[in-house]
Amino acid sequence: MPASGGPMNTQDSIQQADEALLASLGYKQEFKRAFRSIEVFGIAFSIIGLLPSIASVLFYSIPNGGGPAMVWGWAVASIFIMFVGLAMAELASAAPTSGGLYFWTFSLSSPRWRNLLCWIVGYANTVGSISSVASINWGCAVQIMAAATIGSADSSFEPTNAQLFGVYAAIMVTHTAICCLGTTLLARLQTVYVVLNVLLCFAVIIALPASTPVEFRNTASFALGEFINFNGWPDGYAFILSFLAPLWTICSFDSSVHISEEASNAATAVPWAIVYAIGIAGVLGWAINMALAFCMGTDLEALANADQPMAAIFFNAFGTKGTLALWAFVVLVQYMMGSSMLLAASRQTYAFSRDGALPFSGWLYRMNGYTKTPVNTVVFDAFLALLLGLLVFAGDQAINAVFAISVTGLYIAYAIPIAARFAGDNDFEPGPFTLGVFSLPVAIVAVVFMLFLGIVFFFPTSPQTDVQDMNYTIVVLGGVMILSLVWYYFPKYGGVHWFKGPVATIEGFDDSSVLKKRRQGKVVDETETPATVAEESSLEN
């Protein structure tokens, strides 16, 4: 056979294997598989964002420990985040589908609870993903206005909440347009995002220490050992609260799971994308925080009160023109993060509406005939994220709650399927990526960590609080989850009467079939492969 035909045949065989594996899970191929391995990694890494993400959440770490929280808090949290990522990567390798978390929950949970748990995970994942879109884009709006402040005469410009919301809305509208484009173009953009992201990180790690004036350079004892606590909680608890910075930054890595049906060689590419994204972000993020801790000066109270703490640090080091030049790239990368997050969120919404669980599922579960992308779900998610931005008119703490909601909502969705794998009635079959004997201890650490931090982030910023300064995370997330349960148990029309978990899109994929049993985690014949399962599916059809 001609050598020129080799790559084509190899790619064809990979695509056939991907489609066969998806068929074994009950779904026909609807998306174009245009995401290569580097681009699957790219979407997870670009959503993490690093430098602009750290800029968005410095107001959590500076008042809750200063340098030690930024450096050591990041290091500790990154290790635990890797446990979460490893546990999720195993599940993603075994069942790479856009539904991801709620699909795994249904497949691995005991029959008595699988429908309810699947419903809860689906809504938590949807709310967490939309909150991530909102928090990323809100951070971008704040960064744009920080540039306007720096560029104004004597830095006198102070944006109003209405102006911030206007910029936020403009960002959301443009992201909606981008995420409605074709899959191939969206995939290729991820490589650009990764390159810009990494270059920006190295530019700051190298340039910031070199440019910071002597009066703003900190000693090692101050940067790494001087614990600063402004909010009133005990130091140990304040240190834990600072974890929200790394947890929000290195989060939403399930985004690569939600494009599984658009990825080539998904069973391998998706899990490794999760692991690499967390690992690289952990190391580079630690280096960035180290640079910031040594170059932010000692007046941490002024930084904590600044509209954008990182912009203030850059201003002290680079001056007006240098800061604006560098800040333009920070804003650009943050903007890219938002578009990638909306892309991933829309795929989760599409998968959940495919199973009829969301309001307007009939309208949401539509593939645009021209772009071959789920345009309706992009618009739906963008609109809900836009509504979350209205929290700014309730106060700073209210809008800041979207950062905590994105973590707590996603951690609910992460923890349940990981726990169900070992607690449910199933016979889990690992994919190409497996931890072997370490699977259980890794899962235990991951679930306990998420449970503990999920509770911690419901607490207010300060023990002395009032209505305006309360933590609105529990209000927004709890309200949505309660409403979802009300709908589930609603008499006659509620989901408990009709929701049966993920709905197969392959004709003839019923309870009695080998495919259904495999989908529920029950191995019928160990000699079967995804290819033979797909062949059985075609025969059934």
Side-chain angles (χ1 to χ4, degrees):
M1 183 174 289
S4 60
M8 177 79 67
N9 291 336
T10 300
Q11 186 60 40
D12 287 346
S13 64
I14 291 174
Q15 181 162 337
Q16 289 175 4
D18 283 326
E19 292 181 9
L21 178 56
L22 188 62
S24 75
L25 302 174
Y27 295 121
K28 63 184 178 182
Q29 187 69 47
E30 295 178 299
F31 290 93
K32 181 179 180 181
R33 288 190 180 270
F35 278 79
R36 298 171 296 198
S37 295
I38 183 65
E39 292 156 352
V40 178
F41 160 77
I43 193 167
F45 190 72
S46 65
I47 288 173
I48 288 173
L50 275 186
L51 187 73
S53 291
I54 294 171
S56 296
V57 288
L58 268 181
F59 65 88
Y60 278 108
S61 51
I62 289 178
N64 289 302
M70 294 163 61
V71 176
W72 307 125
W74 182 280
V76 172
S78 296
I79 293 171
F80 285 105
I81 295 169
M82 179 58 81
F83 277 87
V84 177
L86 288 169
M88 184 183 294
E90 272 200 302
L91 297 176
S93 183
T97 173
S98 296
L101 305 164
Y102 78 86
F103 180 93
W104 306 335
T105 301
F106 181 85
S107 300
L108 300 172
S109 300
S110 62
R112 181 179 180 183
W113 299 106
R114 62 164 49 118
N115 287 351
L116 175 60
L117 291 177
C118 178
W119 183 278
I120 291 172
V121 169
Y123 271 92
N125 198 186
T126 302
V127 172
S129 296
I130 293 173
S131 296
S132 293
V133 174
S135 57
I136 290 171
N137 286 349
W138 184 256
C140 187
V142 171
Q143 290 167 5
I144 290 172
M145 286 309 200
T149 299
I150 293 171
S152 64
D154 298 324
S155 299
S156 57
F157 173 71
E158 292 186 10
T160 64
N161 287 337
Q163 289 170 329
L164 279 166
F165 183 79
V167 173
Y168 173 76
I171 293 169
M172 199 68 70
V173 169
T174 55
H175 280 169
T176 303
I178 291 172
C179 291
C180 290
L181 299 175
T183 300
T184 302
L185 178 58
L186 292 171
R188 302 301 172 261
L189 284 173
Q190 304 310 314
T191 303
V192 178
Y193 293 176
V194 170
V195 171
L196 283 176
N197 209 334
V198 172
L199 289 177
L200 180 61
C201 290
F202 279 111
V204 171
I205 292 169
I206 296 170
L208 185 61
S211 302
T212 301
V214 175
E215 61 268 27
F216 291 107
R217 294 180 186 174
N218 294 326
T219 62
S221 61
F222 181 86
L224 305 179
E226 188 72 26
F227 197 90
I228 308 294
N229 182 0
F230 295 139
N231 289 333
W233 289 108
D235 286 354
Y237 191 73
F239 182 73
I240 294 172
L241 283 175
S242 74
F243 284 8
L244 184 57
L247 262 63
W248 183 83
T249 301
I250 312 178
C251 195
S252 299
F253 39 81
D254 61 309
S255 56
S256 55
V257 173
H258 299 311
I259 62 162
S260 293
E261 295 176 30
E262 299 167 77
S264 178
N265 195 20
T268 300
V270 172
W272 279 110
I274 294 172
V275 173
Y276 283 139
I278 295 173
I280 295 172
V283 173
L284 278 179
W286 184 81
I288 291 169
N289 275 285
M290 181 75 78
L292 292 171
F294 274 91
C295 301
M296 64 184 178
T298 56
D299 190 0
L300 300 192
E301 189 168 1
L303 288 179
N305 293 329
D307 291 335
Q308 224 310 326
M310 186 178 284
I313 295 172
F314 286 178
F315 182 77
N316 293 336
F318 303 118
T320 301
K321 292 183 179 179
T323 299
L324 288 175
L326 183 59
W327 201 248
F329 288 98
V330 173
V331 172
L332 177 61
V333 172
Q334 180 89 357
Y335 182 85
M336 293 173 173
M337 287 170 56
S339 67
S340 294
M341 188 64 237
L342 181 58
L343 171 65
S346 68
R347 278 23 177 195
Q348 154 63 22
T349 303
Y350 179 82
F352 206 33
S353 64
R354 177 169 60 189
D355 300 319
L358 289 172
F360 317 112
S361 286
W363 179 75
L364 292 172
Y365 180 45
R366 293 182 185 177
M367 191 71 71
N368 183 273
Y370 180 72
T371 65
K372 306 300 181 184
T373 56
V375 170
N376 291 2
T377 59
V378 173
V379 174
F380 179 77
D381 285 358
F383 177 72
L384 292 182
L386 187 65
L387 293 182
L388 280 176
L390 294 173
L391 286 171
V392 68
F393 298 106
D396 290 343
Q397 290 304 319
I399 189 61
N400 289 342
V402 297
F403 292 90
I405 293 169
S406 62
V407 174
T408 52
L410 290 177
Y411 274 14
I412 291 172
Y414 293 176
I416 292 177
I418 292 173
R421 174 186 167 183
F422 298 98
D425 179 17
N426 65 76
D427 191 354
F428 176 77
E429 288 185 275
F433 181 96
T434 177
L435 300 176
V437 296
F438 296 104
S439 296
L440 179 57
V442 166
I444 292 173
V445 172
V447 171
V448 171
F449 174 73
M450 288 187 286
L451 177 63
F452 175 66
L453 268 299
I455 295 172
V456 166
F457 293 149
F458 287 141
F459 281 77
T461 303
S462 169
Q464 294 82 35
T465 191
D466 52 28
V467 173
Q468 187 174 359
D469 292 330
M470 70 172 286
N471 189 335
Y472 284 82
T473 304
I474 188 72
V475 176
V476 179
L477 178 61
V480 173
M481 296 309 297
I482 289 172
L483 286 175
S484 72
L485 290 176
V486 168
W487 186 29
Y488 184 77
Y489 286 110
F490 199 80
K492 191 176 178 179
Y493 300 104
V496 69
H497 301 290
W498 51 264
F499 181 71
K500 303 302 179 185
V503 177
T505 57
I506 293 179
E507 241 181 276
F509 196 88
D510 56 38
D511 289 340
S512 62
S513 69
V514 171
L515 302 179
K516 183 69 174 180
K517 291 175 182 177
R518 180 180 293 278
R519 185 163 167 249
Q520 292 179 342
K522 303 201 186 318
V523 181
V524 180
D525 182 356
E526 291 290 350
T527 63
E528 290 178 355
T529 65
T532 61
V533 171
E535 184 178 350
E536 290 171 16
S537 173
S538 64
L539 290 174
E540 288 180 2
N541 291 335

